[in-house]
Amino acid sequence: MAEEKAVLMYKGHPLMRKDNLVYYGSMADSHIVMLQILETKKMGDADIATRVSVQLQLTDPSARSRDRVVKKSEKAGFYTALDVGCVWLNRALAGK
């Protein structure tokens, strides 16, 4: 029996993590959000993100990597960064 990997979803969009990068959104859409954890703090056994870079990016493969970034910001804490990224992504996908 093949084991399926469940994709983590947040407010209707997939979340994918690779090391200190978290991608929020689908590559099939016009935009995604990239969250990069810049600093962490040790609390017990867990590492907690204290400084996170947020970027709203186009998924167009023909665009240069410099031109893909639509908006960027830096936030204190992962939830704050994800919350801002969620708003940016929803507005970009709605065409506002």
Side-chain angles (χ1 to χ4, degrees):
M1 184 177 224
E3 190 176 308
E4 279 190 46
K5 287 194 172 193
V7 176
L8 183 63
M9 300 290 280
Y10 179 73
K11 294 188 178 182
H13 300 288
L15 272 169
M16 299 288 215
R17 180 178 180 179
K18 172 91 169 98
D19 299 325
N20 66 339
L21 293 176
V22 177
Y23 293 97
Y24 178 58
S26 173
M27 289 300 287
D29 294 332
S30 62
H31 293 79
I32 60 163
V33 171
M34 183 184 79
L35 303 149
Q36 182 178 15
I37 300 169
L38 302 172
E39 285 182 3
T40 59
K41 176 173 68 170
K42 196 80 163 165
M43 291 188 94
D45 293 337
D47 288 330
I48 306 298
T50 56
R51 202 170 62 119
V52 181
S53 169
V54 187
Q55 291 184 358
L56 177 67
Q57 298 181 349
L58 291 169
T59 57
D60 184 11
S62 63
R64 294 185 313 179
S65 61
R66 201 177 312 160
D67 296 336
R68 286 186 191 155
V69 178
V70 178
K71 288 184 181 183
K72 63 182 175 180
S73 181
E74 203 171 285
K75 298 295 176 191
F78 186 79
Y79 179 76
T80 306
L82 182 59
D83 198 35
V84 167
C86 182
V87 170
W88 286 355
L89 183 63
N90 287 333
R91 286 181 180 170
L93 294 179
K96 292 183 179 175

